[in-house]
Amino acid sequence: MATATTSPDVDDDLYSIAAEQRRELMAGQALDADLDLAFHLQMQEAINASLSLKPSSSSSSSSAPAPPSPPRQPIQSEDVFNLSTLQTEELDKFERERNDRLITEAERKKAMEDIRRQIHDRRVALEIDRMPDDEWEDFGDEFERPYVEGEGSSSEEIFRVYFKGLVVVGDERRDSKSVAVAGIGVAICDSRDDLIFELSKPLIGSDRSRQVFEMKALIEGLNAAIALDLKRVVFFCDFYALYQFVTGKWLPKQRKIVSLINQVNLLRGKFNYSAPFLVARNDVKFAIKLAREAVDTQINRVPEPSGANNMYETCVICLEDMDTRQIFSVDGCSHRYCFSCMRQHVEVKLLHGMVPKCPYEGCNSELKIESCRTFLTPKLIEIMSQRIREASIPSTDKIYCPYPKCSALMSKIEVLDYSVKASVRDVQHGARKCMKCENIFCINCKVPWHNNLSCLEYKRRNPYPPPEDLKLKTLADRNLWRQCVKCNHMIELAAGCFHMTCRCGFEFCYTCGAEWKNKKATCSCPLWDEDNIWYDDISETDDGFDEEDDSDSDYYF
């Protein structure tokens, strides 16, 4: 909602000049009309005089009255370039734009006055709430704080800007054109999340980049906040790349993205305070709804019979209307989500070493590989198979091939049976054959097989761990990582308390490694450190907020 403001004096001068030009045009048009009428009358008189002087061909014909002259066809104005008409149209356009600007300015002032009134009411309510009961009983009936027009200021309150840009391309549209259809949604709320402004705007263009439309939505939101004369804002973003660009942690390479980021930075400079926050997609669902409405205004969805193949269903995660053929139903519980949301959910769980389950809160239905092939890439299918395999083997029975190029996961029982069937020598001394690369290794020392050496002799000759293990241990010590005593999985504390729950289910203290039993600590270590606790109360954020200190470790790909 970009606005261009003009000073009242300049606007009045322009309007006076336009009114004078209109008067001159009307006088000129009236003069032209008079001249045309006089010309037509003179021509008619000349024609009549010419006909009266014409000699008659016979006596009978002379007695007959002269035939009336044919009416003169007026000149078609469409075939003539009329400068005065063009100027009139331009003046009409100027007046319409001026009237629209006045209406917009009046609406903006009304919105600002509403915001001031809300701030005044909130301050009065807070004053009443803080008043002691005995004082209220004595003076409550006489208490009043009438609102005076123009009172109150939004310079101290922090307002919240929610924005979203959506783009629909190709087969998601009913026509199969390649033109991208996009929409943006903006919602501005006060510090209590009460809505004070909303905007839904369609965009049409050949650009299909999500980054571009997300940034355009942010620019619209900041422009709207500036038009409402808001001084302190925070804006919420659910797009990780945009958040990194805005905070300066990533530098864009495309010229269009650089230009848009520069616009964002210029707009942010007009506020006394502005800060970005990375949030989950569900936290901007109101803006998503507005953006979806803007997209829907451009897409003609003809009502179809209930049995049609191209019916639409709303995904409860992203709130987007998807073709039912793009909706996944979880086996066992029948919860339904779109392919895109399911793909992101499964990918995050896999990257955290977990077996993905149904996204519905409290639902433990496990996802099956065969049904997930419809929306997962072959690489994710392979990782998911590995995670399921890891979960099926007890922690005490897991063994990995020590050869770096293999590292296959196996069960101790399975690899023993495989080695016996393969007639591996020294099985009784710990020799095993990898089921994938078929190399021989020692299951006790977890290293490639040491020929002609017992495990005790090998450890005596090699008292230090392999270089790779030393590098990992050094890195873990430097970053204060901890190792789960049950499954040996390496864990890092990003934020929160020291009560850790490993992916294998083991609960322990991050400080000393002692086990937690029945959700209670068995050690006397402190439960948390203040530096690891995040506060979500934005209203208490001070002016010294440092964006570089805002960790992004809570966002996962």
Side-chain angles (χ1 to χ4, degrees), residues 492-545:
E492 178 186 13
L493 174 63
C497 66
F498 294 135
H499 173 210
M500 306 301 294
T501 301
C502 180
R503 66 183 186 181
C504 67
F506 183 72
E507 299 180 36
F508 63 96
C509 172
Y510 191 77
T511 304
C512 66
E515 182 181 4
W516 274 57
K517 295 181 179 180
N518 299 323
K519 301 297 181 182
K520 293 182 180 180
T522 58
C523 62
S524 57
C525 298
L527 185 57
W528 68 78
D529 186 343
E530 290 292 337
D531 294 336
N532 294 324
I533 304 298
W534 289 0
Y535 295 96
D536 296 329
D537 190 0
I538 299 170
S539 62
E540 295 182 1
T541 307
D542 58 4
D543 292 336
F545 180 85

Side-chain angles (χ1 to χ4, degrees), residues 1-4 97-111 227:
M1 191 180 73
T3 57
E97 291 177 351
R98 179 178 180 273
N99 292 334
D100 292 342
R101 188 166 61 251
L102 292 175
I103 293 173
T104 303
E105 184 66 18
E107 290 296 327
R108 186 182 72 87
K109 290 181 179 179
K110 181 181 177 182

Side-chain angles (χ1 to χ4, degrees), residues 439-474:
N439 288 317
I440 308 299
F441 66 92
C442 177
I443 196 172
N444 300 321
C445 304
K446 296 181 176 58
V447 294
W449 179 244
H450 36 75
N451 285 318
N452 302 322
L453 288 177
S454 65
C455 292
L456 186 62
E457 181 66 18
Y458 174 81
K459 291 179 180 179
R460 190 181 64 81
R461 294 187 181 185
N462 300 273
Y464 301 107
E468 294 80 7
D469 292 349
L470 274 177
K471 289 180 181 179
L472 177 60
K473 188 177 186 306
T474 302

Side-chain angles (χ1 to χ4, degrees), residues 243-274:
Y243 175 79
Q244 296 292 77
F245 288 143
V246 171
T247 56
K249 296 177 181 177
W250 289 359
L251 295 178
K253 297 180 180 179
Q254 300 90 341
R255 279 184 291 180
K256 178 177 285 189
I257 303 299
V258 172
S259 175
L260 292 172
I261 288 296
N262 290 337
Q263 289 185 48
V264 171
N265 292 333
L266 286 174
L267 293 173
R268 292 184 63 187
K270 298 181 180 181
F271 297 98
N272 294 341
Y273 170 79
S274 69

Side-chain angles (χ1 to χ4, degrees), residues 208-224:
R208 305 182 182 185
S209 171
R210 178 186 174 190
Q211 293 180 5
V212 170
F213 291 113
E214 291 277 7
M215 290 182 187
K216 288 183 177 180
L218 173 57
I219 291 172
E220 288 288 342
L222 295 178
N223 272 320

